[in-house]
């Protein structure tokens, strides 16, 4: 009986792995989710007038922490709502993994937001997280000119540049 149950379990496991849906054993795979924004205000954070960037190519790369050799890469595209979700196989302990968007697909919003075209993600079970979903920090591109609605948005947010 136990043998039969085990056989069924491992069959389900293989099916789940082939379908790329979730994990059947913890730590086997991760889902990385995130969003790519167009920032019309050069604020580098999300506001109510931020726009979604659809069709942006998001690349995940993991590197060996000591040798810096690339150990894993995967690409996906953002949907109409600017979000992406990708399945990453395996445990990536002792590796540095990050998601990057090299190029904006939008002509009107393609200025790099220094440092915010890249976000690090931890793809290891060994960090006290109980879910296999990892949310990467949002990635941004900026419009060349600050939109005239931004002053109002900043006022609403009580956003005052630090003077201290
Ligand atoms: C990183 O590379 C070193 C040297 O080749 C190797 O010993 C180590 O196992 C690698 N680490 C991972 C996580 O692949």
């Amino acid at each position: 009986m136990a043998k039969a149950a085990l056989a069924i379990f491992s069959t389900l496991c293989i099916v789940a792995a082939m379908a790329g849906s979730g994990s059947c054993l913890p730590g086997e795979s991760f889902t990385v989710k995130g969003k790519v924004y167009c920032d019309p205000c050069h604020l580098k954070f999300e506001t109510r007038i931020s726009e979604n960037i659809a069709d942006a190519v998001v690349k995940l790369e993991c590197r060996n922490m000591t040798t810096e050799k690339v150990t894993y890469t995967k690409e996906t595209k953002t949907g109409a709502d600017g979000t992406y979700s990708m399945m990453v196989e395996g445990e990536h302990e002792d590796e540095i993994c990050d998601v990057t968007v090299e190029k904006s697909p939008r002509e009107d919003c393609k200025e790099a937001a220094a440092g915010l075209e890249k976000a690090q993600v931890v793809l290891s079970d060994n960090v006290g997280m109980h879910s296999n979903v990892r949310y990467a920090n949002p990635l941004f591109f900026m419009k060349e000119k600050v939109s005239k609605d931004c002053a109002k948005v900043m006022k609403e947010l009580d956003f005052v540049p630090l003077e201290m």
Side-chain angles (χ1 to χ4, degrees), residues 70-82:
V70 174
T71 52
Y72 188 95
T73 59
K74 191 153 189 177
E75 270 185 16
T76 192
K77 264 189 181 180
T78 55
D81 63 354

Side-chain angles (χ1 to χ4, degrees), residues 40-157:
C41 299
H42 291 202
L43 287 172
K44 301 180 186 175
F45 57 80
E46 189 201 349
T47 64
R48 74 171 164 80
I49 61 170
S50 303
E51 295 162 27
N52 307 325
I53 298 191
D55 292 323
V57 177
V58 180
K59 183 174 167 190
L60 176 119
E61 193 174 272
C62 295
R63 291 178 309 278
N64 181 313
M65 218 177 256
T66 31
T67 63
E68 305 247 306
K69 238 172 109 179
V70 174
T71 52
Y72 188 95
T73 59
K74 191 153 189 177
E75 270 185 16
T76 192
K77 264 189 181 180
T78 55
D81 63 354
T83 66
Y84 64 90
S85 174
M86 70 170 107
M87 177 70 84
V88 178
E89 293 82 17
E91 171 78 16
H92 296 271
E93 209 186 337
D94 298 326
E95 290 171 49
I96 294 172
C97 301
D98 44 45
V99 283
T100 44
V101 186
E102 267 165 29
K103 197 167 159 288
S104 171
R106 274 179 55 172
E107 242 344 273
D108 67 328
C109 196
K110 60 175 186 182
E111 305 276 308
L116 293 179
E117 69 290 336
K118 185 179 255 197
Q120 198 165 322
V121 284
V122 176
L123 298 176
S124 160
D125 252 354
N126 211 2
V127 282
M129 289 188 255
H130 298 294
S131 156
N132 278 0
V133 179
R134 300 288 184 265
Y135 291 93
N137 285 335
L139 304 172
F140 292 93
F141 285 100
M142 305 187 296
K143 291 196 175 177
E144 194 180 343
K145 280 204 185 113
V146 171
S147 153
K148 55 180 175 2
D149 297 328
C150 294
K152 190 160 174 268
V153 168
M154 290 205 274
K155 209 168 166 205
E156 283 168 15
L157 290 170

